[in-house]
């Protein structure tokens, strides 16, 4: 996946303006413009690096006078103590870009690390690990990119990507059959329909309407096994709701095709990385 540079730059500029606004009251009054320093990024835990090119871009936009040498590319598994990158150049630029670069790098690496853990936990099964739309406003593309770096796949990017009937759509319209019939009158031939079901009876109704994807919402593993048997390959089955690292293997072993986790993006723990300036 290659994200548009203009999209990345807009995020970085917004973050820099939020963090600096006018001046850096400490650095601008303490450090002369000609002052140079060397620094490095160090991993303080075990995980997957993600967002290193974006971190590099932060320093290009906040001064452009820093040589940023990447030692560990996106997707690299690092151990505590590994040096991820080395930096040389303007001390002012290093100090002004430090927090923004780390915020982005730590967050994206946290997502990639959490995703990779889930992918490894379901290894050997037919289930793919995906994200959801439960992303932080303005950061969706970065977060979804991080999921792919961790070995996961992306669910839809936005409401335009697929016609997904969740419980509120179905309850508001009056049922699965009526909603699917109305959708089919209006959507284009490239748009797939996914229906969220809460019971096996709703699953059977969705199958009768020949939808392409069915989400099994908060079902037990026993219910999901029955759903796989009933469906018998006639639709893709997605498991969602209350899935954790502790139970994801059991969910995968039911035979579902997809496991979606909002927690990969909406509440992930940042991966611990520090930038340290070398003492003179």
């Amino acid at each position: 996946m290659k994200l548009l540079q203009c999209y990345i730059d807009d995020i970085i500029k917004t973050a820099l303006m939020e963090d600096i606004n006018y001046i850096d009251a400490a650095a601008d009054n303490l450090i002369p413009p000609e002052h140079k320093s060397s620094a490095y990024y160090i991993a303080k835990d075990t995980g997957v690096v993600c967002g290193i090119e974006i971190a590099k871009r932060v320093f290009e936009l906040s001064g452009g006078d820093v040589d940023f040498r990447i030692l560990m590319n996106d997707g690299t598994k690092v151990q505590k103590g590994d040096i991820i990158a080395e930096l040389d150049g303007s001390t002012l630029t290093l100090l002004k870009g430090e927090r923004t670069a780390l915020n982005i790098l730590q967050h994206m690496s946290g997502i990639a690390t959490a995703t990779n853990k889930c992918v490894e936990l379901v290894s050997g099964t037919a289930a793919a690990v995906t994200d959801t739309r439960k992303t932080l406003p303005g950061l969706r593309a970065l977060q979804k990119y991080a999921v792919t770096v961790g070995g996961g796949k992306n669910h839809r990017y936005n409401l335009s990507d697929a016609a997904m009937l969740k419980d509120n759509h179905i309850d508001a319209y009056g049922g699965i059959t009526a909603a699917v019939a109305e959708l089919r009158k209006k959507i284009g031939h490239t748009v797939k329909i996914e229906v969220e079901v809460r019971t096996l009876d709703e699953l059977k109704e969705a199958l009768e309407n020949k939808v392409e994807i069915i989400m099994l919402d908060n079902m037990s593993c026993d219910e999901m096994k029955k759903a796989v048997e009933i469906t018998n390959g006639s639709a893709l089955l997605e498991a969602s709701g209350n899935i954790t690292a502790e139970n994801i293997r059991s969910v995968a072993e039911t035979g579902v095709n997809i496991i979606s986790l909002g927690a990969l993006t909406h509440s992930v723990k940042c991966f611990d990385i520090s930038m340290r300036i070398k003492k003179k």
Side-chain angles (χ1 to χ4, degrees), residues 73-180:
N73 290 305
D74 284 0
T76 304
K77 291 187 178 181
V78 296
Q79 305 295 320
K80 182 178 181 179
D82 283 348
I83 305 302
I84 298 170
E86 295 176 335
L87 304 81
D88 291 288
S90 167
T91 306
L92 282 174
T93 300
L94 288 171
L95 293 171
K96 290 181 178 183
E98 175 183 3
R99 186 72 268 150
T100 294
L102 282 175
N103 283 348
I104 294 170
L105 180 62
Q106 288 179 310
H107 181 63
M108 294 179 69
S109 296
I111 293 171
T113 298
T115 302
N116 186 253
K117 180 179 179 180
C118 290
V119 169
E120 289 181 345
L121 286 170
V122 305
S123 177
T125 72
V129 173
T130 78
D131 49 35
T132 70
R133 284 172 44 247
K134 294 177 182 177
T135 55
L136 297 178
L139 297 181
R140 180 169 294 174
L142 296 189
Q143 292 186 308
K144 283 182 171 284
Y145 165 74
V147 167
T148 67
V149 169
K153 295 185 178 181
N154 294 144
H155 208 291
R156 56 183 180 158
Y157 263 78
N158 53 54
L159 294 173
S160 301
D161 281 349
M164 185 171 176
L165 297 176
K166 294 181 72 68
D167 53 358
N168 284 334
H169 294 90
I170 294 165
D171 292 343
Y173 197 78
I176 292 172
T177 299
V180 171

